[in-house]
Amino acid sequence: MLHIGAEMVTMAAQSGPRTSADYIALDDRWGAHNYHPLPVVAASASGVWVVDVEGRRYLDCLAGYSALNFGHRHPLLVAAAHAQLDRLTLTSRAFHNDRLGPFMEDLAALTGTERVLPMNTGAEAVETAIKISRAWGYRVKGVRADRAKIIVASGSFHGRTTTIVSFSDDPQARNDFGPYGPGFVTVPYGDAAALAAALDDDTVAVLIEPIQGEAGIIVPPAGYLAEVRRLTAAANVLFIADEIQSGLGRTGATLETERVGVQPDLITLGKALGGGILPVSAVVGRDDVIGVIKPGEHGSTFGGNPLGAAIGHAVVGLLETGEYQARARRLGEVLHGRLDELVGHGVTAVRGAGLWAGIDIAPEQGSGRAVCERLVARGVLAKDTHGQTLRLAPPLVTTEDEIHQVVDALADALTSV
Ligand SMILES: *Cc1c(COP(=O)(O)O)cnc(C)c1O
């Protein structure tokens, strides 16, 4: 520890309150460099507004990659968390608790599914769906040992575990993390014919995002998800929809698959399920499929904990009224109407659904990152993806006036170069 002593003394001896630059320096010095954050140091937040350590206000249009669909510190979610903190926080699944069952009952009803397997992070939910579908393949479909194949789509993002990055085609997510796990085949996203050609007797599941989030809010061609459903059903293959980012109100429906009238066999949920307070994820789906998992075969110390279940249950309560889904539809029309006007004015294309937009920035405007920095200067938090795309996903509690503020700030950021 001796070699760091002098630096610690320097930091401790600093007089006056720490500035944003001080905190950024601490992160750079002590944290692993696995992120390159925009230079904003948040200190507090409420609803759609974030306040930094210097007291500057920002409208949060990233919303924790949709983990904050209900805004920061939604009063009903914070109240549920506080109440549960005073009663019971963790039991492990070695015992039952009085929060998990009621949460799962209402989550199943909300999503039109039959059974729930609770986990914590999104990547864990995806891993769980992979394990369930392989076990189903061997035990129910009769696939020969260790031959199970799962079909995924190009451009996908399903998390950061070694198994999941094995089938990523993003070099940054994948390179130098091998050896890669076998058992995955990639087909072009949105191409039902390519999927049909890849299905065979060893195929146990097709895993896709109904709208690809990290890829830049890529909406597949109309009818694609229905065709995936038709093809998988005909081939006795499970359809796993990863709704971790697209689900829970973002696109104007409880689930994006529901919005397009498709019922998958398994659905992964995460992000907004934890209300922006805790990581809460789940696999929901068919009773006979999730039912293949037997005691001892899968689990998690924290999955299904009563604190997360109480918060997740409150999230389900918010979505049961349909109010947030309706807001996302109505305000999404406002957002997309305004964004479409920017095409040809620093923007080359806009995609999305509900309160979710991927905006391709014209090259002469600089990178997506540069535009995000100009937005920060105008009091809007947003994030670029894949270089030239900006994504906007404001919390579903945003007002119509705030939507106009965001697009005005973007128009200004684009014309000011
Ligand atoms: C964010 C995301 C994940 C991973 O969730 P984590 O909680 O970060 O592990 C998986 N799938 C999709 C579609 C996501 O957007």
Side-chain angles (χ1 to χ4, degrees):
M1 289 299 278
L2 271 181
H3 61 290
I4 58 169
E7 230 163 312
M8 290 180 76
V9 171
T10 315
M11 276 315 219
Q14 266 187 349
S15 55
R18 284 176 170 174
T19 64
S20 287
D22 295 331
Y23 289 103
I24 291 169
L26 280 173
D27 286 350
D28 279 346
R29 172 59 187 86
W30 296 106
H33 292 168
N34 57 329
Y35 278 93
H36 178 38
L38 287 155
V40 174
V41 181
S44 63
S46 179
V48 302
W49 293 95
V50 169
V51 181
D52 75 4
V53 292
E54 275 90 17
R56 288 180 291 250
R57 271 162 45 95
Y58 303 89
L59 213 157
D60 186 355
C61 284
L62 178 62
Y65 302 90
S66 289
L68 290 157
N69 274 3
F70 310 98
H72 293 266
R73 301 190 302 108
H74 188 289
L76 291 178
L77 302 182
V78 168
H82 278 156
Q84 193 58 34
L85 274 172
D86 289 334
R87 293 180 60 227
L88 178 71
T89 56
L90 186 67
T91 50
S92 85
R93 295 293 302 280
F95 314 104
H96 295 272
N97 70 69
D98 67 353
R99 287 293 152 185
L100 181 56
F103 165 49
M104 295 192 297
E105 178 180 31
D106 287 350
L107 180 62
L110 179 76
T111 55
T113 56
E114 299 167 340
R115 198 166 285 279
V116 178
L117 200 161
M119 296 294 284
N120 310 284
T121 66
E124 283 177 307
V126 172
E127 288 275 347
T128 301
I130 290 169
K131 287 173 74 175
I132 292 171
S133 56
R134 285 178 176 168
W136 174 86
Y138 299 126
R139 296 170 189 176
V140 179
K141 182 169 175 174
V143 173
R144 286 161 297 167
D146 290 336
R147 298 287 292 261
K149 173 172 133 183
I150 295 176
I151 299 174
V152 297
S154 57
S156 70
F157 181 86
H158 298 286
R160 302 289 196 171
T161 66
T162 48
T163 290
I164 294 170
V165 301
S166 290
F167 60 82
S168 169
D169 53 16
D170 175 357
Q172 274 193 308
R174 184 174 199 272
N175 286 0
D176 292 333
F177 300 126
Y180 303 110
F184 298 95
V185 169
T186 304
V187 298
Y189 185 65
D191 183 343
L195 173 64
L199 290 165
D200 62 21
D201 290 345
D202 290 334
T203 309
V204 297
V206 173
L207 166 64
I208 49 173
E209 296 157 88
I211 290 178
Q212 289 189 322
E214 297 304 299
I217 326 299
I218 310 294
V219 183
Y224 173 65
L225 296 171
E227 193 58 10
V228 172
R229 176 66 288 183
R230 196 187 65 76
L231 291 167
T232 48
N236 194 24
V237 164
L238 301 176
F239 177 7
I240 309 170
D242 182 351
E243 295 248 23
I244 289 168
Q245 200 165 153
S246 58
L248 305 181
R250 175 56 55 196
T251 67
T254 300
L255 299 168
E256 173 60 9
T257 44
E258 175 209 308
R259 191 177 73 93
V260 299
V262 166
Q263 178 72 60
D265 302 301
L266 297 175
I267 301 163
T268 53
L269 299 172
K271 293 200 165 101
L273 193 57
I277 299 175
L278 277 184
V280 178
S281 71
V283 177
V284 298
R286 271 167 56 185
D287 182 35
D288 62 326
V289 175
I290 295 178
V292 300
I293 297 292
K294 299 285 177 265
E297 292 183 340
H298 188 60
S300 156
T301 304
F302 288 94
N305 72 79
L307 182 57
I311 295 167
H313 202 172
V315 166
V316 170
L318 293 181
L319 287 167
E320 272 167 351
T321 67
E323 171 197 339
Y324 290 94
Q325 297 89 323
R327 265 190 94 83
R329 282 196 299 277
R330 187 173 62 77
L331 294 179
E333 273 175 36
V334 176
L335 175 68
H336 282 278
R338 290 279 327 264
L339 289 176
D340 286 344
E341 292 168 11
L342 295 181
V343 175
H345 305 276
V347 166
T348 57
V350 179
R351 298 169 299 275
L355 271 180
W356 208 16
I359 304 157
D360 292 341
I361 303 296
E364 65 270 17
Q365 296 288 329
S367 65
R369 169 97 187 179
V371 173
C372 285
E373 284 165 3
R374 301 206 288 272
L375 280 173
V376 162
R378 288 162 179 77
V380 172
L381 301 183
K383 178 79 172 69
D384 55 300
T385 183
H386 293 284
Q388 221 51 40
T389 300
L390 192 78
R391 51 168 149 203
L392 293 180
L396 311 183
V397 296
T398 309
T399 65
E400 183 165 344
D401 185 55
E402 287 162 343
I403 297 291
H404 288 293
Q405 287 179 46
V406 168
V407 185
D408 289 345
L410 177 60
D412 190 52
L414 292 172
T415 53
S416 65
V417 282

